[in-house]
Amino acid sequence: MSTTFDGRVALITGGSRGIGAAIARRLAEAGATVAINYRSNAGAADELVEELRAHGHRAEAFGGDVTDPARIADVVARVVEEFGALHLLASNAGIEHFAPLADITLADFENVFRTNVGGQLFAVQAAAAVMPPGSRIVLTSSVSARTAVHRHTLYAASKAAVSAMALNLAPELAEAGIAINAVAPGGTATDMAAENGADYVHPALAGVEPQQVTRSMNALGRLARPDEIADAVAFLLSQNASYITGSTLDVAGGWMR
Ligand code: NDP
């Protein structure tokens, strides 16, 4: 088993914080040159770049909102210009959403789907256009795609679309020698999970702390660490996964429903 990424250039969307930052660290430690995309928090992205460079890794931050296909195409073009190629895409940028049905607006729908679905679709479109054969892509779905969580309909529907994209893009991208898979994390200790509020808790469990609900949903009884998700992404981006494409891999501590 070899998970070296020597000579490979990786783009991580939403790479400045949380799971994306853990992916950037994991790939850089294994030899990849990493391009860290972020939306607005340039400080976090620059801090991570400095950290990686201090360890001798090649890294650069690339701002760009994934909801705008032109911005994603521009990020990909800048990565290729800076590093000469693009071999690996970890399409990770995403946003959370909880709301009762009656409160969901068209603006919510557009925001969630443009980020979680369009952002990943157009990142793949731009990346696949420049990737050489042997390149690999990992999208970010969620266990929410296949489970019922209170007031989570919009987010869950967007993540189900992501798994459907991985499945349906696999044969098309295989023609170009590119593999595409998705990871489906369970609750993971990031800013996103920390922001889960009372909306998340079923009325029958009123008063129970949201992360306690998450912990009760998986066999391991705890949230994932971001590096545990990053290890699975690194596996799917590596040649050890050479016969895997079109799949969604649960990284969810034995999610129980
Ligand atoms: P965080 O909220 O901690 O970090 C989100 C990252 O995505 C940041 O780097 C942020 O950039 C970036 N981002 C958000 N919107 C955009 C955008 N429009 N364009 C470019 N970058 C953007 O999220 P997590 O690390 O928790 O989640 C990462 C992925 O994992 C998401 O797709 C999420 O849906 C998925 N996931 C997370 C789970 C969890 O429990 N945490 C569970 C299952 C799936 P900036 O810093 O500039 O804001």
Side-chain angles (χ1 to χ4, degrees):
M1 290 266 287
S2 162
T3 52
T4 178
F5 293 110
D6 283 343
R8 308 285 269 176
V9 177
L11 170 61
I12 302 105
T13 68
S16 56
R17 293 186 286 122
I19 293 170
I23 295 169
R25 289 188 181 97
R26 177 68 180 76
L27 298 182
E29 281 161 12
T33 294
V34 291
I36 294 158
N37 161 255
Y38 64 95
R39 173 183 48 188
S40 52
N41 191 341
D46 289 342
E47 226 172 86
L48 179 58
V49 166
E50 288 313 312
E51 175 196 316
L52 294 175
R53 287 181 180 167
H55 286 87
H57 307 310
R58 272 181 99 196
E60 184 69 69
F62 295 86
D65 189 329
V66 300
T67 61
D68 180 350
R71 290 297 308 254
I72 306 174
D74 177 61
V75 166
V76 167
R78 284 189 283 145
V79 170
V80 173
E81 191 181 320
E82 177 79 16
F83 297 126
L86 178 63
H87 309 98
L88 308 172
L89 170 66
S91 173
N92 161 82
I95 54 170
E96 182 60 282
H97 183 270
F98 286 99
L101 174 63
D103 291 354
I104 296 173
T105 64
L106 182 59
D108 293 332
F109 173 81
E110 286 176 351
N111 191 27
V112 171
F113 271 72
R114 278 192 74 153
T115 308
N116 292 358
V117 184
Q120 304 212 53
L121 177 69
F122 291 110
V124 172
Q125 185 185 65
V130 300
M131 283 175 147
S135 296
R136 302 189 64 89
I137 295 170
V138 174
L139 307 181
T140 306
S141 179
S142 165
V143 285
S144 301
R146 60 170 185 78
T147 58
V149 172
H150 193 53
R151 295 176 168 174
H152 213 199
T153 303
L154 202 48
Y155 178 86
S158 75
K159 291 300 187 177
V162 172
S163 292
M165 286 197 298
L167 185 61
N168 285 272
L169 284 169
E172 192 175 336
L173 293 182
E175 292 173 34
I178 300 169
I180 182 166
N181 293 289
V183 283
T188 306
T190 66
D191 295 343
M192 181 183 282
E195 285 156 14
N196 289 349
D199 261 347
Y200 179 57
V201 179
H202 192 281
L205 299 172
V208 177
E209 188 253 323
Q211 294 204 0
Q212 181 69 17
V213 175
T214 307
R215 285 195 289 274
S216 74
M217 287 175 176
N218 69 77
L220 298 185
R222 65 174 175 85
L223 274 71
R225 299 185 314 270
D227 63 281
E228 292 177 306
I229 311 302
D231 279 340
V233 172
F235 165 68
L236 290 173
L237 288 175
S238 78
Q239 285 309 312
N240 295 322
S242 58
Y243 199 61
I244 306 177
T245 193
S247 295
T248 293
L249 175 63
D250 269 15
V251 192
W255 207 255
M256 294 196 290
R257 348 177 244 158

